[in-house]
Amino acid sequence: LDKEVVLVQNTYPDGNLVELLLLLDAARGLGADKITCVIPYFGYARQDRRFNPGEALSAKVMLRHLEMEMDRLLTIDLHKPDVLEWFARAPAKDLKAAPAIGDFFRDRGIDLVLGPDKGAVGRAAEVAKIIGCESDHLEKTRLSGTEVKIAPSHVGAKGKKVLIVDDIISTGGTIIAASNELKRLGAREVFAACTHGLFTGGAVERLRGTCDMVVSTNTLESEVSKISVAKVVAQEL
Ligand code: R5P
């Protein structure tokens, strides 16, 4: 073959991971000169430490096995990009979906972009910059043993069209709690966007009960994966 091969494959569900390992070997067997692998949704990446004794360090295990046949790795919005330190044999880079999310919401009248926690404030700011509006993050304050207040840390939500941006939506619990609270605070509309839409156990339906729009990128395909990350990947390639 004597050429650079680009493989695009998720490591989730597990069948895709096995397929990827076999594709890597098949490409090498055909004489591929260089193999670049794009993993839009990296399953196992969130197990980045042993949360309980006896657990596997899954992110490290997967990266160590994958690096054996790859010459370059591109991922998108890893929960913690630092895990790529375990992919030591070749260059690796975590790409950001924020430009694609920002482009999608440009001209949709968004007043405020919120990250669901302090750690997500950078992503929210990046999206807000593209849209041309303000950004902030949500802060959880414990009022008593049974009461928790969730509100934007610095700005008000009253009368605003708010967009919450997260890296992953799994059960939808985080966004539903935030959205309910924002509506209570007088937000006019609440939109939710994420990079990786896992949407477990009917999460899309539950989210629609409180959010005015739910959308994800197409790193995982679903009925709401309306934002393409193709441009982000193509630009890097
Ligand atoms: C957490 O750190 C992540 O950024 C997401 O907020 C979380 O994984 C979302 O999970 P769920 O949809 O189940 O609340």
Side-chain angles (χ1 to χ4, degrees), residues 4-212:
E4 176 173 1
V5 171
V6 178
L7 290 174
V8 183
Q9 174 82 321
N10 284 344
T11 58
Y12 169 90
D14 286 350
N16 283 353
L17 177 63
V18 174
E19 208 170 87
L20 175 58
L21 290 167
L22 300 179
L23 280 167
L24 284 164
D25 183 68
R28 201 62 89 189
L30 284 169
D33 182 41
K34 179 180 172 188
I35 303 178
T36 291
C37 191
V38 183
I39 304 183
Y41 175 68
F42 199 123
Y44 291 102
R46 277 196 290 176
Q47 182 75 17
D48 53 20
R49 60 189 177 91
R50 300 184 205 272
F51 298 95
N52 293 299
E55 284 183 353
L57 196 43
S58 315
K60 185 178 176 184
V61 171
M62 296 310 157
L63 286 162
R64 283 282 152 87
H65 281 81
L66 287 167
E67 73 175 358
M68 290 193 295
E69 283 299 345
M70 281 182 203
D71 300 303
R72 182 186 179 202
L73 169 64
L74 298 176
T75 54
I76 301 173
D77 280 347
L78 285 171
H79 190 61
K80 285 201 188 121
D82 292 353
V83 299
L84 290 180
E85 281 168 21
W86 287 317
F87 190 88
R89 211 186 51 82
K93 185 171 177 184
D94 187 49
L95 307 176
K96 306 283 163 231
I101 296 173
D103 274 348
F104 182 85
F105 282 98
R106 213 199 291 262
D107 305 324
R108 284 179 199 249
I110 304 290
D111 302 301
L112 171 64
V113 181
L114 287 174
D117 53 46
K118 213 170 179 178
V121 72
R123 181 180 300 110
E126 219 176 309
V127 171
K129 197 170 163 202
I130 296 165
I131 295 173
C133 67
E134 60 182 343
S135 67
D136 195 0
H137 67 272
L138 288 159
E139 191 92 55
K140 215 187 257 189
T141 320
R142 185 157 290 284
L143 302 174
S144 69
T146 52
E147 267 181 300
V148 171
K149 185 183 127 204
I150 307 169
S153 178
H154 299 99
V155 303
K158 198 170 170 56
K160 290 182 182 167
K161 206 165 174 174
V162 182
L163 169 65
I164 312 172
V165 183
D166 208 350
D167 58 340
I168 301 177
I169 298 180
S170 303
T171 63
T174 305
I175 301 282
I176 290 169
S179 176
N180 281 335
E181 203 56 26
L182 287 164
K183 287 273 171 88
R184 212 184 54 78
L185 291 170
R188 190 157 43 98
E189 283 183 280
V190 178
F191 293 174
C194 68
T195 304
H196 311 296
L198 280 165
F199 302 123
T200 55
V204 171
E205 277 318 302
R206 274 182 285 114
L207 282 156
R208 281 180 176 151
T210 167
C211 296
D212 298 281

Side-chain angles (χ1 to χ4, degrees), residues 3 29 53 122 124 187 226:
K3 291 201 174 118
K226 301 206 171 95

